[in-house]
Amino acid sequence: MNSHPPPYQSPHTPATYPPPSHTRQNTQQQRSKKRRRFLPTAKGFLSFLYHTSFYLFILIIAALLVGSAWSIGEQAWRNGGQRKWNIFVMVAAYVALGIISVLHVWSRVLSIKRILRTMPKPYIPTKRVDLPKNVAKHIATEYSRTAVIAHISQATTGQQEGWGRPGTKWEDKHFRTYILSTIPIMRQSLAPTSTASPLSLQPLLDASSSMNDNGAIRLFVNSYAKIIERARYGRKEPSQADAEAVEKVVEVVLLTLEVKRRREKDKHRTSIP
């Protein structure tokens, strides 16, 4: 038997082995990334100057103004004869400078507010003009990925009951609404002078029965009335076949009535000597 303990093991502790090589490599890479993150770079230095230059120049201008005011005031105080006049001129000049500065700052504030008001409220800065290059690129990538996911998730082959299938002429059409919307067209074609209720189908049946066409229009109107009744009172949603049947019935009735009117006009013309 081997009496020696394994590496990194004492006689009173469980066996421990050195970490795998890939774990050590990952740890070293993380440490190197952290070191690089805190190392000063030219880009970071320029960014620091960009963000601090405004306040830096304000401090420089304030120091120059205070220094010049102190030196001018000291020089004016030393002149005995014109001491009061020099001090008055100096104070008036600095007061005018302060007023002009305040007016300039206020005009800038108003112009910025006016520009912000002209911008649309739902505007979201996502372009490179408004954001850093990396941020704008990340937003564009995520937007493209979201658009692809939304496009893939759209229904292409499925169909909701009572609605037209996407990609067909019945897309975004509700069959029940479409079927019931054909009643005024049929009433205007078959019984335009009827005084019955707009929801009543009896004028259509009476008008189709009074036609001399061997009962062809009557058959179409009967089938049309059955589909209308199912669309009105049926619990089940109408199908695409019902909508297509109603469409065909309306087309046949309109064409038949148009042909009949033309024949009557031709007969009337030929009967006139």
Side-chain angles (χ1 to χ4, degrees):
M1 294 180 63
N2 188 7
S3 60
H4 297 284
Y8 299 94
Q9 179 185 4
S10 66
H12 304 286
T13 58
T16 56
Y17 296 91
S21 59
H22 62 85
T23 305
R24 286 180 293 181
Q25 291 177 358
N26 293 335
T27 306
Q28 292 177 358
Q29 290 178 359
Q30 292 177 358
R31 290 178 180 176
S32 62
K33 287 181 180 179
K34 290 182 179 179
R35 291 175 183 175
R36 292 175 185 174
R37 188 181 302 173
F38 293 103
L39 288 177
T41 58
K43 187 176 181 180
F45 181 71
L46 293 176
S47 177
F48 174 77
L49 288 180
Y50 176 79
H51 291 289
T52 58
S53 60
F54 178 75
Y55 300 101
L56 178 63
F57 284 119
I58 287 179
L59 292 176
I60 292 174
I61 292 173
L64 292 175
L65 287 175
V66 172
S68 62
W70 177 264
S71 61
I72 293 173
E74 185 180 3
Q75 185 178 2
W77 183 262
R78 289 178 181 178
N79 295 330
Q82 299 180 351
R83 180 185 303 175
K84 294 182 179 180
W85 174 251
N86 292 335
I87 293 175
F88 174 76
V89 171
M90 183 192 69
V91 173
Y94 274 91
V95 169
L97 177 63
I99 293 173
I100 293 172
S101 301
V102 171
L103 292 176
H104 180 70
V105 172
W106 183 249
S107 65
R108 291 292 299 170
V109 170
L110 292 179
S111 62
I112 291 173
K113 287 184 177 180
R114 193 179 298 110
I115 292 172
L116 293 176
R117 288 175 184 174
T118 57
M119 296 175 62
K121 292 183 179 180
Y123 176 77
I124 300 176
T126 58
K127 303 297 182 182
R128 295 187 179 181
V129 180
D130 305 318
L131 299 172
K133 182 178 179 181
N134 295 332
V135 177
K137 185 177 180 181
H138 177 71
I139 292 175
T141 303
E142 293 299 321
Y143 178 79
S144 301
R145 186 173 67 87
T146 305
V148 171
I149 293 173
H151 177 72
I152 294 174
S153 62
Q154 288 181 353
T156 55
T157 58
Q159 181 180 6
Q160 186 177 359
E161 185 180 3
W163 289 84
R165 180 174 297 177
T168 63
K169 71 174 185 178
W170 301 100
E171 184 177 2
D172 295 335
K173 285 188 178 181
H174 189 219
F175 295 140
R176 190 187 299 272
T177 304
Y178 169 75
I179 291 171
L180 297 178
S181 66
T182 59
I183 297 177
I185 300 174
M186 296 289 286
R187 287 285 298 267
Q188 185 65 26
S189 301
L190 292 173
T193 59
S194 176
T195 58
S197 173
L199 301 178
S200 177
L201 299 177
Q202 191 61 37
L204 302 180
L205 299 174
D206 296 339
S208 61
S209 300
S210 62
M211 291 184 179
N212 298 323
D213 58 350
N214 298 324
I217 296 296
R218 175 72 182 189
L219 293 176
F220 283 108
V221 173
N222 286 338
S223 62
Y224 173 79
K226 291 179 181 178
I227 298 175
I228 291 295
E229 293 297 329
R230 288 201 302 268
R232 279 180 176 174
Y233 308 110
R235 180 178 297 178
K236 185 179 179 181
E237 289 287 338
S239 62
Q240 182 175 338
D242 296 332
E244 291 176 349
V246 168
E247 184 182 25
K248 290 179 181 179
V249 168
V250 173
E251 290 179 356
V252 169
V253 171
L254 294 179
L255 289 175
T256 303
L257 293 176
E258 183 65 24
V259 171
K260 186 177 179 181
R261 291 192 189 97
R262 290 181 181 179
R263 288 179 180 177
E264 290 178 354
K265 287 182 180 180
D266 294 339
K267 288 181 181 180
H268 181 69
R269 289 176 183 177
T270 55
S271 62
I272 297 175

